[in-house]
Amino acid sequence: MSGGAMTDTTWTPGEAAARDPRNHPDLPWWKSAVIYQIYPRSFLDTDGDGVGDLEGIRRRLPYLAELGVDALWLSPFYRSPMADFGYDVSDHCDVDPLFGDLDNARRLVREAHEHGLRVLVDFVPCHTSDLHDWFVDARSSPDATHRDWYVWRDGDPSTPPNRWMSAFTGGPAWTWDGANGKWYLHLFLPEQPDLDWHHPEVVDAMFDVLKFWLDLGVDGFRVDVVHLIGKDVPDGHDVPDPEPAPLTHELLRRMRTLVDAYACEPVLVGEVYIMSTRAVASFYGRGDELHLAFNFPPLYAPWDAAAWRKRIDRVVEELDPIGAWPTWVLSNHDNTRHRSRYGSAEKARAAALLLLGLRGTPFLYAGEELGLSNAVIPADRRVDPGGRDGCRAPIPWSAGPDHGWATANPWLPWPPEADTADAAAQEADPGSFLHLYRRALAARRRSPALRDGAFGWLRSRAGVLAWERTAPGDRRVVLVNMTGKAVTFPGAFTLLVSSSPADTTWSGTLGPWTAVWLIPA
Ligand code: GLC
């Protein structure tokens, strides 16, 4: 296929050799990468409209390269009426003017590559906006070209075709279209009608979207609610909730073939929103479906060693035997930030070494490297129909009142740390979250054991997670004390990184809510 060769990938000297996949024939880049999620609305506004933009991301590329992440995943910046803040796409191949234009996107991808950063974009296959030309056409007449691209049902206006519920409204996943005398399906908002992937033209059109962005130079996709693309839509009142169907797996194999034909080794990371790790594992296929799949049970685990151990064991049991590479994530644009969930800065700092010490590809959510909490959103500032505003607060880059943004009044209130721990203040403080993440990311990058080595549990006290990572000639020990008491750990080690700014050497004792990475003596 032609597209791959067109990717404009200009690596900075020094990064080039280490990052060139040809120098690691057995190890695809995404296995040793740390991926950083950017929610463009909230990253940095450069034009004063209160909403972040692509230019804002471009300006922070040096910061991201210095942080030490390997790739960026950008949440949607496509044309959208913003009913679901960009996850309601009205043109998949254009940039919403709020964020800039296609030239901004091209420049961002090119300059990210120059900084040694790969770029993943969000691919939203399950639904479009109701204002997408396809749906506008679909509802215009029974003979419309795009009519069957969506899921319609005849029936009685008082009884939806089945009992499926929409994710955010609490009401049926069906809206009655009076003009057509039919119901249409939307697993999310009524403004997000579901596409029907049983229709071959939908498959072709959506695969063209993938090709468009690959040809523009992106390095892969985060695929939104991917487990439901090929769902069957049964009628009747006793049908179960939407489930993955054989068509979904067939479509994923075709998607995989499409992206694998590109020379830049694009990655498909699926949002498989199923709370069973065994079910998540099935989306890797036989190495021929998703390269990576989000596994959310650990994100929802409490700050409790036994609970975490169980979640980690499930990953080892379900993914290892089929050769599937795990992912790990603590925060994103849909969930309360983990500092707020765990309830303290100490725990959030320890969580950084937990996340980055596991075997698999970690995902960071912009602002987690600054230890941000959820913002408090007064009732009159709430905008998200899904109640997720708090984790989408703007990133404070420097002192107030504008915190580096082109306005002091962004679309959502600032997070609580804005006035005490903005990025510039953290830059100047060696004990800050930012420096902890930088140290950990640098240590991870330098250690084959931490990057992609084997994982094995070590014996430890109750309440402490202890494991080792090993690669030929390299061994690292990870300890996470999830209790509020100091605990000892036997053996001779030197300290590589501690989550506690007070630690400079390894004393044999792990402080309360502290995690360390150790090098065996
Ligand atoms: C995914 C996204 C979420 C969005 C939903 C509908 O879960 O992460 O933000 O609202 O899909 O597209």
Side-chain angles (χ1 to χ4, degrees), residues 84 87 127 168 188 192 222 224-225 271 333-334 388 392:
D84 188 15
Y87 284 94
H127 43 257
F168 303 131
F188 292 88
Q192 293 167 293
R222 176 270 191 184
D224 194 60
V225 277
E271 185 204 20
H333 66 295
D334 290 330
R388 299 161 293 182
R392 300 174 176 180

Side-chain angles (χ1 to χ4, degrees), residues 83-312:
D84 188 15
F85 295 102
Y87 284 94
D88 49 322
V89 180
S90 57
D91 184 345
H92 300 87
C93 298
D94 200 3
V95 174
D96 195 279
L98 260 182
F99 301 114
D101 59 23
L102 276 173
D103 282 337
N104 290 112
R106 284 192 196 94
R107 184 169 179 201
L108 175 58
V109 171
R110 191 178 65 240
E111 293 191 19
H113 287 169
E114 287 167 5
H115 281 89
L117 296 162
R118 288 185 161 86
V119 180
L120 275 56
V121 294
D122 223 297
F123 177 53
V124 188
C126 259
H127 43 257
T128 67
S129 161
D130 62 333
L131 298 184
H132 194 297
D133 285 348
W134 299 342
F135 191 67
V136 172
D137 178 56
R139 72 198 311 186
S140 68
S141 117
D143 308 320
T145 314
H146 300 92
R147 181 70 159 195
D148 298 334
W149 288 32
Y150 295 86
V151 183
W152 299 96
R153 287 288 184 275
D154 293 322
D156 162 355
S158 61
T159 318
N162 68 25
R163 286 165 74 139
W164 289 359
M165 302 294 279
S166 122
F168 303 131
T169 65
W174 298 90
T175 287
W176 179 254
D177 184 333
N180 280 291
K182 283 182 189 294
W183 294 94
Y184 69 85
L185 176 67
H186 52 87
L187 294 181
F188 292 88
L189 296 171
E191 293 87 349
Q192 293 167 293
D194 275 52
L195 282 166
D196 186 352
W197 279 74
H198 292 82
H199 198 305
E201 288 171 12
V202 169
V203 181
D204 289 346
M206 291 303 280
F207 281 13
D208 282 348
V209 173
L210 294 173
K211 291 180 204 159
F212 176 85
W213 288 101
L214 287 165
D215 291 342
L216 188 138
V218 306
D219 304 283
F221 302 92
R222 176 270 191 184
V223 192
D224 194 60
V225 277
V226 66
H227 55 294
L228 292 177
I229 51 174
K231 63 190 169 295
D232 292 319
V233 185
D235 296 324
H237 260 214
D238 48 0
V239 300
D241 288 341
E243 286 175 357
L247 176 63
T248 301
H249 294 282
E250 184 193 321
L251 289 166
L252 284 176
R253 286 190 290 274
R254 291 179 60 188
M255 225 181 263
R256 174 70 176 253
T257 304
L258 187 159
V259 304
D260 277 356
Y262 281 71
C264 63
E265 277 196 296
V267 64
L268 291 173
V269 186
E271 185 204 20
V272 179
Y273 199 77
I274 305 180
M275 293 311 130
S276 148
T277 302
R278 169 165 299 179
V280 169
S282 72
F283 287 85
Y284 289 80
R286 298 195 170 103
D288 56 358
E289 296 186 29
L290 294 171
H291 300 88
L292 295 173
F294 282 114
N295 177 51
F296 290 111
L299 185 150
Y300 294 116
W303 186 253
D304 173 86
W308 264 91
R309 189 171 170 126
K310 210 161 86 188
R311 306 295 195 289
I312 295 169

Side-chain angles (χ1 to χ4, degrees), residues 46-47 49 51-55 77-79 94-105:
T46 62
D47 59 8
D49 63 3
V51 173
D53 42 52
L54 296 184
E55 170 62 11
F77 49 81
Y78 315 115
R79 274 192 191 266
D94 200 3
V95 174
D96 195 279
L98 260 182
F99 301 114
D101 59 23
L102 276 173
D103 282 337
N104 290 112

